[in-house]
């Protein structure tokens, strides 16, 4: 006798680096995104949506993890043997869009976009393979006013989200100044070895806030082993070159002007470095004139941004307030997004340089930060009123009740299960329903409906000693005429205990 073949049952589990998002998170995140979008709209930016997948050649090789075999992206080959990748950010697809539609666009082209991006990187605490970004870009302007405007707009976004001044700062630097330093350590070549070493140096510098000078020194040298035992190969710089890089990232002063003075000394003799100094000086004049001081926008040489396409001013939005970690230690939340100038990205398609600059907010990370600050207001969407099904043959009547409530703007749901009354009320309670509508045979014959207030009922139940007392208590429910259903539901929902 043959054995019965065992059927395969997959284990319900998520891949590492991915997560589900629940209803209350989606609603509060949507409210947060709307506030950000409102600020972008005030500045004159227009919305755009690009697809999740692009041809791999359009995205380019700009990720910080460029040494990985798959370049840090999730890719697949189409049936026509074309390689496509899930977008790793929203900037590269926008560059493709502008290049494809260049002749028809008003220039400078100013757009904002929000959506998921995917990175095939090692996941960890607060580091996901899928996350939401919210970008704003100005393409077609070489003016430093465009970069200054983005920094000011970002500061306005932080305050629109009720993050008070002193709890955030927009930090800025300039890749040209960094190039001046790299020039002094002979890493500005375009050969493969120089490009790879340059990216490794930038990735190391970008980790200063997390690893400190000692950790960055290891990454600039032979390499570093982290707490998990994973080893990261270093840039292989000599001691003198490491000292120059560390002096650069630690050159920040109390004022923007003092920082620029210190950087000027470090990159003395570098033409491209001095060009970067002049650009930041122009930005400083613009933001200062608009009333944005160093408490909101400050220059920080440690900001380098890991993506390889940045070509000028770069910036990060950092949350400076302190929170307690799982062990009770005080830590800073840190960066919630970054951006900068990428004048060469559109040129990959057009063959001519088209200046561009943009910012990208990490929505998921910012959401978590606002949660820590207690800035997320309770969802304004009230759970639905639940209409119980006492007699399945009368479903049309119950759906008519729901229709009346919905037409009055009240969320309403007819119970779709097959359980009895007790289970239906329990279901309503789990949904957080404010009210339950009940109409059995007796009520229907008398043209009546019972409305059970679950909020009052929950409060009253704390003082009720036994089932008999509960059954006889009428404090949580009322009997009304069928034709007054909507009127009475509105009255109950308007009571203070349903507004809290």
């Amino acid at each position: 006798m043959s054995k019965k073949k065992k059927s395969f049952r997959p284990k319900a589990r998520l891949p590492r680096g991915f997560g589900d998002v629940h209803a209350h998170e989606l609603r509060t995140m949507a409210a947060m995104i709307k506030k950000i979008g409102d600020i972008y709209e005030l500045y004159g930016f227009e919305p755009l949506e690009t697809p999740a997948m692009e041809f791999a050649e359009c995205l380019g090789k700009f990720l910080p993890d460029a040494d990985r075999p798959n370049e840090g992206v999730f890719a697949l080959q189409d049936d026509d043997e074309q390689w496509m990748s899930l977008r790793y950010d929203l900037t590269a697809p926008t560059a493709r869009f502008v290049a494809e539609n260049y002749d028809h666009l008003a220039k400078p082209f100013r757009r904002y976009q929000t959506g998921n991006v995917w990175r095939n990187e090692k996941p960890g605490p607060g580091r996901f393979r899928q996350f939401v970004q919210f970008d704003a870009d100005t393409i077609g302007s070489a003016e430093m006013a465009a970069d200054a405007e983005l920094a000011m707009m970002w500061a306005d976004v932080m305050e629109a989200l009720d993050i008070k001044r002193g709890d955030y700062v927009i930090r800025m630097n300039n890749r040209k100044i960094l190039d001046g330093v790299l020039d002094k350590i002979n890493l500005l070549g375009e050969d493969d070895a120089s490009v790879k070493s340059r990216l490794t140096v930038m990735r190391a510098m970008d980790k200063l806030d997390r690893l400190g000078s000692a950790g960055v020194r290891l990454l600039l040298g032979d390499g570093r082993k982290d707490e998990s035992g994973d080893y990261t190969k270093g840039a292989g710089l000599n001691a003198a070159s490491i000292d120059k890089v560390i002096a650069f990232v630690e050159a920040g002063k109390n004022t923007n002007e003092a920082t620029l003075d210190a950087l000027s000394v470090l990159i003395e003799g570098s033409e491209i470095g001095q060009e970067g100094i002049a650009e930041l000086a122009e930005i400083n004049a613009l933001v200062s004139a608009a009333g944005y001081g160093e408490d909101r926008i400050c220059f920080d040489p440690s900001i380098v941004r890991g993506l390889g396409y940045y070509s000028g001013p770069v910036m990060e939005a950092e949350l400076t307030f302190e929170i307690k970690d799982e062990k009770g230690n005080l830590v800073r939340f840190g960066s919630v997004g970054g951006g900068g100038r990428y004048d060469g990205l559109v040129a990959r398609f057009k063959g001519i340089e088209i200046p561009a600059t943009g910012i990208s907010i990490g929505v998921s990370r910012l959401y978590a930060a606002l949660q820590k600050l207690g800035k997320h207001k309770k969802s304004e969407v009230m759970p639905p009123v639940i209409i119980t099904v006492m007699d399945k043959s009368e479903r049309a009547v119950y759906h008519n009740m729901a229709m009346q409530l919905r037409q009055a703007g009240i969320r309403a749901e007819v119970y779709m299960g097959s359980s009895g009354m007790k289970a239906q009320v329990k279901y309503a309670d789990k949904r957080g329903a404010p009210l339950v509508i009940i109409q059995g045979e007796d009520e229907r014959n008398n043209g009546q409906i019972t409305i059970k207030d679950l909020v009052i009922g929950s409060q009253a139940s704390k003082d009720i000693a036994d089932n008999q007392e509960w059954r006889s208590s009428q404090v949580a429910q009322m009997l009304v005429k069928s034709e007054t259903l909507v009127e009475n539901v509105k009255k109950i929902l308007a009571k203070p205990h349903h507004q809290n």
Side-chain angles (χ1 to χ4, degrees), residues 81-324:
E81 297 185 353
Q82 294 285 308
W83 279 98
M84 301 187 299
S85 302
L86 284 170
R87 63 192 182 201
Y88 59 76
D89 69 3
L90 300 175
T91 307
T94 298
R96 186 270 309 155
F97 171 85
V98 171
E100 195 173 6
N101 300 278
Y102 190 74
D103 294 337
H104 310 292
L105 296 174
K107 291 175 279 291
F109 175 64
R110 294 156 64 82
R111 83 88 172 88
Y112 69 84
Q113 180 178 355
T114 186
N116 282 300
V117 298
W118 295 265
R119 295 189 183 176
N120 191 3
E121 300 175 339
K122 181 183 177 181
R127 187 179 176 91
F128 297 94
R129 287 171 166 172
Q130 175 181 320
F131 50 96
V132 181
Q133 289 185 334
F134 201 162
D135 290 15
D137 294 79
T138 297
I139 300 175
S141 173
E143 299 294 326
M144 289 300 104
D147 303 81
E149 180 187 59
L150 288 173
M152 293 186 289
M153 184 170 74
W154 214 343
D156 290 352
V157 164
M158 295 294 108
E159 298 197 6
L161 294 173
D162 200 25
I163 302 173
K164 67 177 184 291
R165 212 164 292 183
D167 279 347
Y168 77 89
V169 67
I170 312 303
R171 301 192 185 278
M172 296 191 73
N173 193 12
N174 195 311
R175 274 288 184 83
K176 292 179 180 178
I177 304 174
L178 172 59
D179 284 348
V181 175
L182 295 174
D183 190 18
K184 287 185 171 292
I185 59 175
N186 300 314
L187 277 185
L188 271 192
E190 290 304 317
D191 57 285
D192 289 345
S194 294
V195 171
K196 188 173 182 179
S197 294
R198 190 159 63 241
L199 287 174
T200 304
V201 168
M202 287 191 293
R203 290 201 300 268
M205 297 166 73
D206 213 21
K207 294 179 172 65
L208 180 71
D209 60 336
R210 186 162 57 87
L211 302 180
S213 293
V216 172
R217 279 184 178 276
L218 291 174
L219 291 175
L220 291 171
D222 294 332
R224 176 182 177 272
K225 184 182 288 188
D226 64 20
E227 296 79 5
S228 69
D230 286 350
Y231 181 77
T232 302
K233 187 178 178 181
L237 302 183
N238 59 39
S241 295
I242 292 174
D243 287 342
K244 288 178 181 177
V245 173
I246 294 297
F248 170 75
V249 296
E250 293 183 340
K253 305 298 179 184
N254 291 331
T255 68
N256 288 340
E257 289 186 359
T259 297
L260 292 179
D261 290 341
L263 290 172
S264 293
V265 174
L266 288 174
I267 49 90
E268 187 177 0
S270 169
E271 185 177 342
I272 191 168
Q274 292 299 333
E275 189 178 323
I277 294 288
E279 288 179 353
L280 284 190
E282 184 179 347
I283 289 172
N284 190 46
L286 291 168
V287 299
S288 297
Y292 295 77
E294 281 92 348
D295 60 332
R296 303 176 76 186
I297 301 172
C298 76
F299 295 161
D300 183 346
S302 70
I303 303 301
V304 298
R305 305 296 299 149
L307 294 174
Y309 52 57
Y310 289 120
S311 59
V314 289
M315 63 190 92
E316 285 189 2
E318 181 184 341
L319 299 181
T320 57
F321 65 88
E322 292 183 330
I323 58 172
K324 287 186 178 180

Side-chain angles (χ1 to χ4, degrees), residues 446-467:
N446 293 322
Q448 295 175 315
I449 292 173
T450 296
I451 304 175
K452 190 174 185 67
D453 189 330
L454 293 186
V455 177
I456 287 290
S458 175
Q459 295 169 355
S461 66
K462 297 174 184 177
D463 302 318
I464 293 176
D466 54 42
N467 287 338

Side-chain angles (χ1 to χ4, degrees), residues 330-377:
L330 284 174
V331 294
R332 279 191 174 184
F333 207 93
S335 174
V336 291
R341 181 160 286 275
Y342 51 98
D343 289 345
L345 196 53
V346 184
R348 293 178 60 245
F349 302 95
K350 298 292 290 181
I352 56 172
E353 187 169 285
I354 298 172
T357 184
I359 57 173
S360 180
I361 294 174
V363 172
S364 304
R365 187 165 176 78
L366 182 55
Y367 174 88
L370 293 176
Q371 198 168 35
K372 291 286 186 182
L373 279 174
K375 300 296 185 182
H376 288 312
K377 294 181 180 178

Side-chain angles (χ1 to χ4, degrees), residues 414-477:
V414 179
Y415 179 72
M416 291 293 169
S418 56
S419 300
M421 177 63 184
K422 185 176 180 181
Q424 292 187 48
V425 174
K426 188 175 182 180
Y427 167 81
D429 194 46
K430 277 191 173 182
R431 289 293 311 275
L435 308 175
V436 168
I437 308 300
I438 304 168
Q439 189 185 59
E441 185 179 358
D442 291 343
E443 287 109 335
R444 188 165 55 255
N445 290 338
N446 293 322
Q448 295 175 315
I449 292 173
T450 296
I451 304 175
K452 190 174 185 67
D453 189 330
L454 293 186
V455 177
I456 287 290
S458 175
Q459 295 169 355
S461 66
K462 297 174 184 177
D463 302 318
I464 293 176
D466 54 42
N467 287 338
Q468 181 60 40
E469 188 178 351
W470 170 255
R471 283 193 295 270
S472 62
S473 173
Q474 297 299 310
V475 68
Q477 61 188 46

